Amino acid sequence: MVALASGDRWRLIFCQTILTLVVTIARSEEIFLEWHVTIDLTLKPMSVDQPVITINGMFPGPLINSTTNDNVHVNVFNDMDEPLLMTWNGIQQRKNSWQDGVSGTNCPIQAGMNWTYVFQTKDQIGTFFYFPSLNFHKAGGGFGPIRVNNRAIIAVPFPKPEAEFDLLIGDWYQHNFKDVRSKLNTTVWAYHMPPDGMLMNGKGPYLDPFTKAHESFTVTRGKTYRFRIANVGIAWSINFRIQKHQMVVVETEGSYTNQITLDSLDVHVGQSYSVLVTANQEAADYYIVASPKLSNATDNSSLVGRAVLHYDNSTTTPNGPLPKGPDPFDLDFSLNQAKSIRWNLTAGAARPNPQGTFNVSNVTLSQTFILQGSIIDINGVPRYTLNNVSYTTPDTPLKLADNFINGSDVYNLDEFPVNSSNPVAVDGTFVATGNHKGWLEIVFKNDLNVMDSWHLDGFGFYVVGFGHGKWTPELRSTYNLYDPVVRSTAQVYPGRWTAVYAYLDNPGMWNLRSQHLKNWYLGQELYVRVYDADPDPAKERPPPENLLFCG
């Protein structure tokens, strides 16, 4: 044995300590879940019998409770009578679009069959949700919450709350989702028919005479609680508030935010937030309210979601009028609030270094997409479009076509008009190239008279700007490039535009879609192919061994 000098021994101890720290930082857990997805006819969320999609008998489905870098295995048994896919809204699937669970990346799980998703919550924290992505299934349920917790070595930028609550809020059709789906080829349903009610964690409004049960959260006076709120709905943006309680916004879709105190919070379709609520009132019960934006819904309408904040020693039910929210048609209120949601540059998140280390103040843009949503009849059938193009789903998923056959036989690459509308409305299977490791600017324009919201799988949006009227390059001078929040879904107000940046460092075939279910189902989507020719699996994972084939 060779004796080490004193200095060498200390150097060895130091290296061993660093190695131990690296192993501790990199450690991840394996999470194994088994889900049975079926249709339940007994739940009756509102006033009529209708089929509800459940997971392991639950609606909403079970919580996926993970930590940064965990590997999640979800064995999905399709016990329904039609094909199924599950997607993980906001989980970025680093280098692994094979597990994204949308029609462009995966063959569906056929009725009576099962398939195991394996994905990693790589370099993420935050509040997300999952839902079924095919066949208008989301209108029948099948959604549930996802938490990605900080690793122990990363400090959370607020004191540990007493408890955490998941609250999935969404509008709901009081109809069989199959019936709604079949009617979407008619102008009335495609253009006009609004949802019938608002659910909170799958339950109807408190004091609604037709509701079997309402949601309630029990708190202790003096304690602070984290509510993880997600809008899992179909069409309506919502305003969320709690009677006599303020909330502190601390996180949205994987980004810690500057902590601002609000009386009410707008949450748009597909978005998630974490807020802190302190039980600082007298022991009683209080209303929790979610009301639709751009709607004249009255307080006792089924479209106004109502739950209860229950103090554990309360003997008093909620009383008085519902807490008043902002004018639902006041877009300036909503827009100003959106601009106030900013990135906390000093907080760490998935990594030890602060979020602000990754800023956009000096980036060089490599591409710009200007995308305009609209609706039009194509061949006598109502379709939602993007730049006057409506997406058609092929029999073979784009990702399989890209990997195993000549992709051009399945889709049209780079024929989509990314900066102007097609002169004639068309439908087809179009894919746009995203420059690998380039910065993409997307300007979303909304010519509809309703809210819209947009999501790009695989990436986060740096939400740099909002505006109204015509967008021009000169308006980049109005962007917030210092601390724009990074989130997975950005809202676009009627008659206005929203600008986002995305760093395309994640190779794969990625779905860019309207989060409004009807818009998406009727063609308002595009796939972005981020390609790296290097076959090294460190760049992009190879197809999984259990890959399903179709088409």
Side-chain angles (χ1 to χ4, degrees):
M1 181 178 294
V2 178
L4 296 176
S6 175
D8 291 334
R9 284 198 301 272
W10 282 112
R11 279 190 290 273
L12 179 60
I13 292 171
F14 176 77
C15 290
Q16 289 174 331
T17 302
I18 293 297
L19 179 60
T20 300
L21 179 60
V22 168
V23 170
T24 300
I25 292 174
R27 182 179 297 150
S28 61
E29 298 292 334
E30 303 291 327
I31 297 174
F32 293 91
L33 303 171
E34 183 176 298
W35 287 0
H36 290 264
V37 183
T38 190
I39 292 179
D40 192 312
L41 298 174
T42 67
L43 290 181
K44 198 174 183 178
M46 298 188 68
S47 61
V48 299
D49 293 326
Q50 64 181 125
V52 176
I53 299 174
T54 64
I55 301 175
N56 295 349
M58 300 171 61
F59 172 61
L63 167 69
I64 297 179
N65 194 16
S66 63
T67 298
T68 303
N69 296 339
D70 282 353
N71 294 299
V72 182
H73 308 249
V74 188
N75 188 3
V76 177
F77 289 80
N78 180 9
D79 297 332
M80 300 199 305
D81 58 358
E82 54 187 50
L84 169 73
L85 279 177
M86 302 297 298
T87 194
W88 324 96
N89 197 68
I91 301 299
Q92 292 183 4
Q93 307 288 358
R94 301 299 298 176
K95 306 171 186 176
N96 195 19
S97 64
W98 296 105
Q99 307 289 338
D100 201 29
V102 289
S103 67
T105 58
N106 294 88
C107 294
I109 307 168
Q110 296 299 318
M113 305 298 289
N114 70 296
W115 194 70
T116 300
Y117 294 90
V118 182
F119 60 88
Q120 186 178 29
T121 54
K122 177 70 174 172
D123 291 336
Q124 285 191 271
I125 58 95
T127 303
F128 310 98
F129 63 93
Y130 58 83
F131 66 91
S133 65
L134 289 183
N135 297 327
F136 214 68
H137 285 159
K138 188 185 177 194
F143 45 75
I146 302 175
R147 300 180 191 173
V148 185
N149 303 297
N150 281 54
R151 293 174 292 165
I153 64 165
I154 308 294
V156 177
F158 48 85
K160 182 179 174 68
E162 179 70 13
E164 299 190 10
F165 301 121
D166 299 294
L167 179 50
L168 305 186
I169 305 172
D171 48 7
W172 186 257
Y173 281 116
Q174 196 168 261
H175 302 272
N176 185 328
F177 68 88
K178 294 181 182 181
D179 293 339
V180 177
R181 183 176 68 197
S182 69
K183 294 174 181 176
L184 289 177
N185 62 354
T186 66
T187 299
V188 170
W189 276 87
Y191 290 14
H192 304 298
M193 288 300 289
D196 301 300
M198 191 79 70
L199 303 183
M200 289 188 170
N201 282 347
K203 301 171 183 175
Y206 174 66
L207 292 184
D208 187 309
F210 300 108
T211 296
K212 279 187 174 181
H214 66 270
E215 188 58 289
S216 179
F217 300 94
T218 299
V219 298
T220 298
R221 191 168 187 269
K223 304 293 185 180
T224 298
Y225 298 84
R226 180 177 184 173
F227 281 79
R228 294 179 180 258
I229 305 162
N231 185 337
V232 296
I234 300 164
W236 292 109
S237 297
I238 61 171
N239 179 263
F240 176 82
R241 52 201 183 270
I242 303 176
Q243 184 182 26
K244 294 187 178 180
H245 292 75
Q246 291 184 311
M247 66 192 86
V248 179
V249 178
V250 293
E251 178 260 333
T252 180
E253 295 153 45
S255 293
Y256 288 122
T257 65
N258 286 341
Q259 295 178 19
I260 56 174
T261 301
L262 301 175
D263 295 316
S264 71
L265 174 66
D266 282 357
V267 188
H268 304 279
V269 178
Q271 292 186 341
S272 303
Y273 281 94
S274 288
V275 299
L276 300 180
V277 177
T278 299
N280 55 9
Q281 299 298 309
E282 295 300 319
D285 287 2
Y286 298 90
Y287 293 113
I288 300 174
V289 176
S291 58
K293 306 289 291 183
L294 298 178
S295 167
N296 285 315
T298 59
D299 283 358
N300 60 354
S301 165
S302 61
L303 265 178
V304 175
R306 301 183 294 275
V308 174
L309 185 74
H310 169 70
Y311 280 59
D312 56 9
N313 56 348
S314 166
T315 58
T316 305
T317 59
N319 62 80
L322 297 185
K324 186 174 177 57
D327 181 339
F329 295 93
D330 186 352
L331 294 182
D332 287 334
F333 166 88
S334 186
L335 184 62
N336 290 333
Q337 184 181 89
K339 290 179 178 179
S340 73
I341 307 295
R342 299 193 170 214
W343 222 17
N344 183 340
L345 300 182
T346 63
R351 304 175 186 176
N353 38 340
Q355 292 177 144
T357 306
F358 316 100
N359 66 68
V360 293
S361 57
N362 294 305
V363 305
T364 300
L365 298 174
S366 65
Q367 291 175 281
T368 296
F369 292 178
I370 301 174
L371 304 178
Q372 180 173 317
S374 58
I375 185 170
I376 194 169
D377 280 10
I378 301 177
N379 299 323
V381 177
R383 299 288 293 176
Y384 281 83
T385 67
L386 196 57
N387 289 3
N388 229 13
V389 177
S390 185
Y391 182 81
T392 301
T393 301
D395 293 332
T396 302
L398 309 176
K399 186 65 181 170
L400 271 70
D402 212 29
N403 195 81
F404 296 106
I405 60 177
N406 183 358
S408 63
D409 294 338
V410 173
Y411 62 83
N412 298 309
L413 181 63
D414 292 335
E415 296 181 19
F416 181 89
V418 295
N419 288 308
S420 62
S421 285
N422 206 58
V424 178
V426 298
D427 51 17
T429 306
F430 294 90
V431 175
T433 292
N435 295 339
H436 183 228
K437 293 193 175 178
W439 281 94
L440 170 64
E441 175 190 39
I442 307 178
V443 180
F444 295 108
K445 299 166 67 177
N446 182 8
D447 284 350
L448 304 173
N449 60 1
V450 295
M451 292 291 304
D452 205 350
S453 56
W454 285 89
H455 174 96
L456 176 59
D457 286 351
F459 303 95
F461 285 148
Y462 292 76
V463 185
V464 295
F466 297 95
H468 52 80
K470 183 179 179 181
W471 179 89
T472 64
E474 291 73 27
L475 289 169
R476 289 176 179 141
S477 64
T478 68
Y479 287 0
N480 169 27
L481 301 181
Y482 175 65
D483 59 355
V485 71
V486 182
R487 62 186 316 156
S488 65
T489 297
Q491 72 271 27
V492 192
Y493 296 91
R496 306 196 182 197
W497 54 264
T498 298
V500 302
Y501 287 177
Y503 182 53
L504 303 184
D505 61 341
N506 193 11
M509 186 73 73
W510 301 108
N511 183 236
L512 175 66
R513 63 174 176 268
S514 171
Q515 292 278 48
H516 288 215
L517 185 60
K518 184 167 56 176
N519 302 29
W520 182 20
Y521 182 75
L522 292 179
Q524 204 168 62
E525 63 178 315
L526 172 70
Y527 279 85
V528 179
R529 180 179 185 258
V530 181
Y531 180 67
D532 186 347
D534 189 345
D536 182 353
K539 298 287 185 69
E540 183 179 9
R541 294 185 184 179
E545 293 182 359
N546 66 341
L547 183 67
L548 297 176
F549 290 90
C550 55

